[in-house]
């Protein structure tokens, strides 16, 4: 399992807010990190497109880290 530094930092920021984990995707949508998905050629904004929360307490990526290329801010 791998976690991307950018996603790790966003997760720490969110946990400091002490909000329910179910709201995490909405938090990620508001940040608008830009990246490309290599397997599809899509350019996206917002990590909520590649992260899901299940069972109210499990966060997982929907793409492998090596399938993503992040743009610098």
């Amino acid at each position: 399992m791998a976690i991307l530094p950018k996603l790790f930092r966003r997760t720490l920021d969110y946990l400091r807010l002490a909000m329910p984990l179910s709201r995490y995707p909405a938090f990620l949508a508001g940040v608008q990190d830009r990246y490309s998905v290599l397997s599809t050629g899509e350019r996206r904004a917002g990590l909520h497109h590649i992260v899901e929360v299940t069972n109210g307490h499990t966060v997982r990526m929907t793409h492998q880290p090596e399938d993503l290329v992040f743009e610098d801010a």
Side-chain angles (χ1 to χ4, degrees):
M1 176 173 66
I3 186 166
L4 304 171
K6 185 175 293 281
L7 182 57
F8 180 75
R9 287 190 305 271
R10 298 291 180 237
T11 302
L12 285 180
D13 291 344
Y14 185 75
L15 291 174
R16 287 184 185 116
L17 297 173
M19 302 274 295
L21 198 53
S22 62
R23 302 291 301 145
Y24 185 51
F27 171 81
L28 293 175
V31 180
Q32 295 296 301
D33 293 301
R34 297 190 172 282
Y35 58 93
S36 297
V37 180
L38 297 176
S39 62
T40 64
E42 293 176 276
R43 293 184 69 206
R44 309 293 304 254
L47 294 174
H48 64 290
H49 294 291
I50 59 167
V51 171
E52 66 182 18
V53 176
T54 58
N55 303 327
H57 64 290
T58 301
V59 176
R60 75 176 202 92
M61 293 178 55
T62 59
H63 290 274
Q64 295 296 317
E66 57 270 12
D67 195 28
L68 305 171
V69 175
F70 286 88
E71 297 178 18
D72 287 332

